[in-house]
Amino acid sequence: METLASPLCTTHGGLVNFFGGGSVSVLGFPLQHLKTQALPDSKKKLSFGVIKASVAKTEVALLRIGTRGSPLALAQAHETRDKLMSSHPELAEEGAIKIVVIKTTGDKILSQPLADIGGKGLFTKEIDEALINGDIDIAVHSMKDVPTYLPEKTILPCNLQREDVRDAFISLSASSLAELPAGSVVGTASLRRKSQILHRYPSLKVEENFRGNVQTRLRKLKEGVVQATLLALAGLRRLSMTENVTSVLSIDEMLPAVAQGAIGISCRSNDENMASYLASLNHEETQLAVVCERAFLETLDGSCRTPIAGYAYKDDDGNCIFKGLVASPDGTRSMTIALKHFLKFYLSSFYSENNIVCFSSNFVISSLSVYISVLETSRKGPYVFEDMVMMGKDAGKELLSKAGPGFFDF
């Protein structure tokens, strides 16, 4: 399904702001659609690469980078550091940049699924606080972890060029999800992945409290806790661990998370020096794609309990193509509740206006109950800021309308 977006927005009111705290943050990058492909000799070997932080030992650093302590987060911080050093000679001197590791709520609580912990900013709150308090100068985040509203006194002026947005399938016994035997368990902490897996392969089971860093999840797979898992290909590429990949899922088979594969870097809103450094690293195409995706997410008011996927990219003609999805956590949610709201209103109105009742509302509700598990939409329009914000918001409004009352009341 493809819907053309309106040509141009005529107002910036309520739209994404690149530099304002308390506004929808910006960032992302489009990739070409790539077909599902298998990577050779990957099913029987799992490697566990580790990247360690090399924190400069100096009393005074010109720039302090705040980051989580996982190998992937450190890889992203190192990528940021290296780009800053190559672009600014004063930052290339020994000790000029320091990496500061900060533990977040999401890192501390590993015994529960993310959806059960609740709240937004599980992997960013403590880093943002350190930024606001002046303990660090910039914060490096995986953009998919960043809430749609930034904390006051902070801005997010930079996205590095986006990595591959697709999800990787990893298994020691099958080459794809379709080849897993019925009853096989797939480990993933992502409700987005869970809902799409069960929607297409209802015979499979999902272990949703499958948490930990990439190395931990690969170890659990090797130990037989699950028969397969899905991981972001971007993370595996940044860790140089793609030899673990069994196959890569196409965008059509597994729509990625909003801003998946994009790195976002924030600083204090009054720090012009840091803002200037970050502006020099910004990848505009990525930033615009993430703007579109996050406008979609903000309209749906998504949380860790809502499976939402969104992806914007530039096609061969230079247009923006956006695809969005919202689903029930198990991929099979009944819409009886939504129909019940509608039918009760309709039947009561019909009775009061016509003073007759032709049939039992309970009978109608049970007869008309249908099962809607995944709702999808798409848009096409100019690869321009205003248009892309409009496309994201319009796509979100469409899915809210299709879902009806009760769909998000899990």
Side-chain angles (χ1 to χ4, degrees), residues 30 41 44 113 216 235 238 240 273 287 330 332 355 368 390 404:
D41 302 323
K44 300 194 177 181
T216 298
R238 289 187 174 120
S240 299
N273 189 36
Q287 191 174 62
D330 63 357
T332 58
N355 200 29
L368 294 183
M390 175 182 282

Side-chain angles (χ1 to χ4, degrees), residues 56 59 76 108 147 190 233 279 290 319 346 351 355 387 403:
E59 292 187 9
Q76 295 178 163
K108 297 172 185 175
S190 164
L233 184 57
V290 175
N319 292 312
Y346 176 81
Y351 177 79
N355 200 29
D387 296 81

